[in-house]
Amino acid sequence: MKSNPSPRIAVLFATAQGSTRDIAEFIADDLVAHGARAELHDIEHAPDLSGIDTVVIGSAIHDMDLLPEASAYLRHNLNTLAHKDVWLFSVGLGPALRGPIGRWIGRRIPRKVADIVTAVRPRNYTAFAGQYERAGVSWRARTMYRVLGGARYGDLRDWQAVRAWSSRIARSLGLPHASTSIVHP
């Protein structure tokens, strides 16, 4: 009886300040712990996808849109991605917002991102919170952040949510439970 080889997964990311890279690295490590063959790449150095079964793509959100290199990659590779198992995630402030207005805004997918999600048709799209440092942020932006329910600055990433999403990918691929527990950065 021949056993099925582990699925080959490319985890691609576009980052501005490192939060998205850290999350992508965590996802790749977690998928490897589940028995997958996962490789991590900056989206600008993405591999040829011909031997890849599943593609996980993440991008930071700036100005209500994915980073330009992520948008360009997704649009340029629509035909190839249509034949792959694709999972998308973004990293921004929305998921960290609290209060009634903040939670409502945080659940909304920005129009430009929604257009890309519609075009790519991933198996799942999710948004994670990133890091938001107070230094260098204008008074106006800090005020808006507080009004929308931003409670604190710093590392706002929810590693349990990232692990749950990564485990969801692993389950969908029929991978076994992780043999080791990945520690977040």
Side-chain angles (χ1 to χ4, degrees):
M1 179 184 228
K2 192 175 181 180
S3 64
N4 289 337
S6 299
R8 189 158 170 232
I9 303 170
V11 180
L12 311 177
F13 66 90
T15 191
Q17 298 172 340
S19 288
T20 308
R21 179 196 60 237
D22 292 346
I23 291 171
E25 186 175 85
F26 180 91
I27 291 168
D29 289 346
D30 192 51
L31 291 170
V32 166
H34 279 88
R37 293 175 295 158
E39 36 186 273
L40 179 70
H41 297 277
D42 181 296
I43 205 158
E44 292 180 324
H45 300 100
D48 174 39
L49 298 178
S50 59
I52 302 293
D53 304 303
T54 299
V55 185
V56 178
I57 302 173
S59 175
I61 298 276
H62 282 213
D63 298 322
M64 306 296 281
D65 197 2
L66 300 176
L67 293 180
E69 57 270 28
S71 292
Y73 179 86
L74 289 163
R75 292 186 192 289
H76 180 71
N77 290 287
L78 275 176
N79 290 334
T80 301
L81 294 171
H83 304 289
K84 302 291 177 188
D85 181 29
V86 179
W87 297 72
L88 292 179
F89 73 92
S90 63
V91 178
L93 282 178
L97 298 176
R98 302 290 175 251
I101 295 172
R103 280 194 300 274
W104 180 77
I105 288 174
R107 284 191 305 266
R108 296 180 55 90
I109 300 173
R111 184 183 53 77
K112 291 177 184 176
V113 175
D115 290 346
I116 288 176
V117 170
T118 299
V120 173
R121 297 181 42 201
R123 184 180 295 202
N124 184 261
Y125 164 76
T126 195
F128 297 116
Q131 294 186 63
Y132 190 53
E133 303 299 333
R134 189 173 195 265
V137 177
S138 71
W139 176 86
R140 184 172 184 251
R142 286 193 317 267
T143 302
M144 182 62 71
Y145 176 62
R146 291 291 186 192
V147 167
L148 293 177
R152 62 182 178 89
Y153 294 91
D155 190 348
L156 307 173
R157 294 173 289 187
D158 180 348
W159 293 106
Q160 289 180 334
V162 175
R163 182 184 312 278
W165 194 69
S166 180
S167 293
R168 181 174 175 193
I169 296 170
R171 280 191 311 276
S172 79
L173 297 173
L175 296 173
H177 289 288
S179 58
T180 59
S181 182
I182 304 303
V183 178
H184 66 80

